[in-house]
Amino acid sequence: MTVSDGKRLTEAETTESSTLSLDDGDIHVCQDGPRDAPPLLLIHGSASSARSWDCLVPLLTGSHRVIRIDLLGHGRSAKPAGPSYAPPDQGRRVGVALDRLGVEQAVVAGHSSGGTVATALAEQRPDLVIALALINTGPRMDAFIASESAAVAPSQWPPTDEQIRRLASSGFSRAGYRIPQELLDEVRMMTFHTFTETMRATRDYLEQRALPERLTTLGKPLLVIFGEDDRRWRSSSAADYLKVPGAKVEMLPGLGHSPMLEDPARTAGPLLAFTAIHAARD
């Protein structure tokens, strides 16, 4: 399913949605595919939600129990002002959610800042994370490409569709691609606090220690998928991940920061090849 030719994002008909009550707030969870298949967890990026994976999920459910979580502050999860939105805290919540779902081991894939949460989860729960796949996740802050889009002030929140499209424009590079209305709506559902805190906390995490260094310490199998025309992170920085022993980097020409939306099939190919090797088996 594509979204650039007028089709709307829709969750798969078999999607099971549920809400888990955690100490910091309710977490929304989606599950697709056979419940006895190897688990594959998908973690979205900042100012996004589980819905950002909608087009990719049907390509994964033939071989996986696909689990998607709206991180705290995003999508249909709670948006409290008090808790931390740092990757380690988000990773801890994801670990608790997987425990509640009875998942003992999973391959974990994260898009953009979702890759930092996936890394933090693996740092905390190496028993739970078998392998990691990072999709357009910048390895360090000096690889970030500063946006020319005007920032949204607190007085302008919630933003209009046009403001969100300007903010999100660097997230896509495929010619003619138009951001689905459903994703615009989910940005507007965030609070200004959760929107800004998530981005600040991700920056702090990367400045404390670059991801390749963290991942080398972890020693987990690693796949990095990168849209070659990314306008948020320099695609050449993907080579930094080759410092991680055994890491594999897949570049996708003609795609930008969000390849799972711009071309789900091309994104699914290397991801499925990776999980076929590393997914948990009964």
Side-chain angles (χ1 to χ4, degrees):
M1 176 171 64
T2 64
V3 293
S4 57
D5 35 324
K7 296 181 182 178
R8 296 172 63 84
L9 279 173
T10 54
E11 288 182 348
E13 291 182 3
T14 57
T15 297
E16 174 189 327
S17 293
S18 59
T19 299
L20 302 177
S21 294
L22 275 58
D23 290 344
D24 292 335
D26 291 348
I27 296 293
H28 178 255
V29 177
C30 296
Q31 297 188 76
D32 294 270
R35 298 305 183 260
D36 59 351
L40 172 59
L41 172 68
L42 305 177
I43 304 178
H44 64 81
S46 301
S48 190
S49 74
R51 302 207 65 175
S52 65
W53 302 101
D54 280 359
C55 297
L56 188 65
V57 168
L59 305 177
L60 307 176
T61 52
S63 51
H64 290 285
R65 172 189 180 184
V66 181
I67 302 168
R68 294 172 285 159
I69 292 178
D70 283 338
L71 297 174
L72 196 73
H74 298 73
R76 286 159 280 184
S77 290
K79 302 168 181 66
S84 164
Y85 288 92
D89 292 296
Q90 295 284 35
R92 173 182 54 78
R93 295 174 190 119
V94 171
V96 172
L98 291 180
D99 290 342
R100 296 272 188 92
L101 296 173
V103 175
E104 296 181 354
Q105 290 186 312
V107 174
V108 180
H111 171 241
S112 191
S113 65
T116 66
V117 175
T119 301
L121 172 63
E123 288 177 318
Q124 297 171 14
R125 299 287 303 277
D127 59 315
L128 182 59
V129 179
I130 298 174
L132 288 160
L134 308 184
I135 301 174
N136 284 79
T137 297
R140 59 185 192 279
M141 276 311 299
D142 62 6
F144 183 68
I145 302 170
S147 174
E148 297 179 359
S149 300
V152 177
S155 60
Q156 296 175 302
W157 200 271
T160 64
D161 280 6
E162 185 54 36
Q163 286 174 313
I164 298 173
R165 288 190 187 280
R166 286 202 305 271
L167 288 167
S169 61
S170 61
F172 306 90
S173 299
R174 176 177 161 184
Y177 184 85
R178 186 166 176 80
I179 304 169
Q181 182 64 43
E182 289 86 348
L183 297 186
L184 300 180
D185 294 341
E186 298 219 338
V187 173
R188 192 176 295 106
M189 286 169 59
M190 297 182 73
T191 67
F192 185 78
H193 174 77
T194 57
F195 179 79
T196 55
E197 271 300 296
T198 298
M199 295 183 183
R200 183 198 60 77
T202 299
R203 182 187 66 242
D204 290 348
Y205 182 77
L206 289 174
E207 289 178 342
Q208 288 164 10
R209 194 180 184 197
L211 289 192
E213 295 176 17
R214 294 176 183 273
L215 294 163
T216 296
T217 302
L218 286 173
K220 297 289 182 182
L222 174 66
L223 169 68
V224 174
I225 299 173
F226 228 92
E228 201 168 59
D229 297 336
D230 194 327
R231 296 160 56 200
R232 291 190 175 171
W233 298 95
R234 288 188 291 103
S235 60
S236 60
S237 70
D240 287 9
Y241 288 107
L242 294 175
K243 299 172 185 175
V244 181
K248 183 176 179 58
V249 175
E250 289 277 352
M251 302 300 293
L252 301 180
L255 301 182
H257 183 66
S258 305
M260 73 287 185
L261 280 162
E262 295 176 82
D263 196 326
R266 286 175 62 195
T267 307
L271 180 58
L272 286 171
F274 179 72
T275 60
I277 299 171
H278 299 293
R281 306 290 176 185
D282 291 333

